[in-house]
Amino acid sequence: MDHTVLMPAAAGRRDAASVEAAPGLPRTNDPAPGLLGDARYVLPLKWADDTGLAGLARYLAEVVTWLPVTVVDGSAEELFAAHRRALPEAVDHVRPQPWPGANGKVAGVMTGVRCAREERIVVADDDVRHTRQTLERIAAMLGQAEVVRPQNYYLALPWQARWDSGRTLLNRALGGDWPGTLGVRRSVLLAAGGYDGDVLFENLELVRTVRAVGGREAVALDVLVGRVPPTVSHFVGQRVRQAYDDFAQPHRLLAELSLLPLLCWGLRHPGGLAAGALALCGVAEIGRRRAEGARVFPAGTVLWAPLWMLERSVCVWVAVVLRARGGVSYAGSRLRTAGHSRAALRRRARSQG
């Protein structure tokens, strides 16, 4: 597991004036009234249908009153035009610029970062729903760290969101979950040469790239950012792909590969299986209570941790098979690399320096 800088609950809580004057950050232009200073929201987008367009447009209409917004849209031409009509006029709506690699999200992020003039960048998936307070917290923390990793929770809890919350709680107990949103210092990411577009676990790759050039990471366990639950079909389609991400975390991969043999043993020892499930719920409860998590994670979500672990025990072996066959399917191509090791990224940084 990556070593991280864990921020205490009070860290980064400043009023708007101190956010605008965060130490060590260059000032571009004076912010407009009501806007966070020297910060920009970047949303990479590539949709095959517009089911969530109205909700996204309403959300961005609010966000754009807090800080400038860039939507980097790789959707087909007809959808791109519909998005431009639906999104608030103040949103910068642009096409992704060329970037090496098959992962289109990386191209979207790097386009938004390169086009920005602001130093503090908040990158967010289309299902993430920030509040002004969470954006202020991340912007403030970027005065002390080069990359900030907040935490997601689901704004509604259909069964698939409860199931995935079990994963989130276990990750929070063990150091921090990987959310659909990050804060990053623009100058540091550009100085690193950007990050690799041929990886599946792009958020981890971005964080490791920043750290490889000496950047500090803040895991903001108490910056809790809402997320729209996935549809059932999207949730099911992500099961093996998320397991494949563990090839970027070998220690975790090995631990998860051991789960299926343990479960097979447990079928002949029901008492041990029950004890293991109870222990998992206990770990999930630790994650739920960490850093104000109980405020947004209902107590019942801990009961889904054993189900998620059962799922992962199978899906991680499917991921191994896919790896042997050349990688996981992604946007019409195959991605073999989940993410590069810290050592590999440090070597790359030294070669570029």
Side-chain angles (χ1 to χ4, degrees):
M1 180 179 296
D2 283 340
H3 174 72
T4 56
V5 181
L6 294 177
M7 304 296 290
R13 288 183 178 165
R14 308 178 182 180
D15 58 25
S18 61
V19 169
E20 294 169 8
L25 297 176
R27 295 291 298 273
T28 53
N29 299 308
D30 290 335
L35 293 181
L36 301 179
D38 202 31
R40 178 170 289 269
Y41 193 93
V42 171
L43 193 159
L45 186 69
K46 187 174 182 179
W47 280 358
D49 67 73
D50 281 347
T51 304
L53 181 57
L56 180 63
R58 287 193 299 270
Y59 166 64
L60 292 180
E62 187 171 23
V63 174
V64 81
T65 66
W66 305 330
L67 76 172
V69 174
T70 299
V71 173
V72 185
D73 192 348
S75 306
E77 193 60 45
E78 193 173 303
L79 293 175
F80 182 91
H83 298 166
R84 178 61 279 174
R85 292 191 297 269
L87 294 176
E89 187 176 348
V91 168
D92 294 330
H93 184 231
V94 300
R95 282 293 196 186
Q97 299 170 354
W99 188 261
N103 193 322
K105 180 181 174 182
V106 176
V109 171
M110 290 308 305
T111 297
V113 169
R114 288 187 292 175
C115 290
R117 293 174 297 173
E118 296 80 7
E119 171 70 356
R120 290 173 286 181
I121 306 296
V122 177
V123 178
D125 292 344
D126 54 68
D127 59 351
V128 168
R129 297 295 182 263
H130 276 278
T131 64
R132 181 179 176 107
Q133 182 184 32
T134 59
L135 293 170
E136 285 177 344
R137 292 285 311 283
I138 293 169
M141 286 183 175
L142 286 172
Q144 304 158 4
E146 283 67 45
V147 63
V148 176
R149 176 155 50 114
Q151 304 285 278
N152 278 144
Y153 69 95
Y154 286 112
L155 293 166
L157 288 170
W159 71 265
Q160 67 271 25
R162 293 177 184 273
W163 188 299
D164 200 47
S165 293
R167 172 194 60 84
T168 299
L169 296 178
L170 291 173
N171 285 340
R172 281 176 59 81
L174 299 175
D177 193 34
W178 285 92
T181 181
L182 295 171
V184 66
R185 294 278 294 269
R186 176 181 183 269
S187 60
V188 176
L189 184 57
L190 292 180
Y195 65 118
D196 198 305
D198 263 325
V199 299
L200 185 67
F201 200 167
E202 79 288 333
N203 278 355
L204 178 142
E205 186 78 3
L206 187 155
V207 169
R208 286 184 175 174
T209 298
V210 169
R211 294 189 62 188
V213 296
R216 298 158 295 177
E217 177 192 11
V219 180
L221 291 174
D222 64 332
V223 179
L224 298 160
V225 182
R227 195 167 194 170
V228 177
T231 63
V232 173
S233 60
H234 183 76
F235 171 79
V236 171
Q238 290 290 316
R239 298 305 86 210
V240 173
R241 188 178 294 179
Q242 287 186 2
Y244 198 95
D245 285 344
D246 286 338
F247 280 101
Q249 304 172 94
H251 295 301
R252 179 171 179 140
L253 177 67
L254 290 173
E256 292 181 354
L257 287 172
S258 71
L259 291 173
L260 194 57
L262 287 173
L263 286 169
C264 292
W265 172 86
L267 292 176
R268 292 176 294 174
H269 302 82
L273 199 61
L278 187 61
L280 280 174
C281 290
V283 174
E285 180 64 16
I286 292 171
R288 190 180 81 90
R289 296 190 182 194
R290 287 191 77 183
E292 304 179 21
R295 184 164 52 83
V296 296
F297 294 103
T301 52
V302 304
L303 301 176
W304 294 79
L307 287 174
W308 176 81
M309 193 64 78
L310 177 63
E311 167 222 305
R312 180 53 60 91
S313 71
V314 175
C315 287
V316 72
W317 282 100
V318 178
V320 169
V321 173
L322 290 177
R323 173 87 167 194
R325 293 182 174 180
V328 67
S329 177
Y330 183 92
S333 63
R334 282 190 177 271
L335 287 174
R336 178 174 174 79
T337 304
H340 292 98
S341 69
R342 289 166 289 175
L345 291 170
R346 285 195 294 266
R347 287 195 298 270
R348 172 193 159 189
R350 286 195 296 269
S351 69
Q352 290 179 339

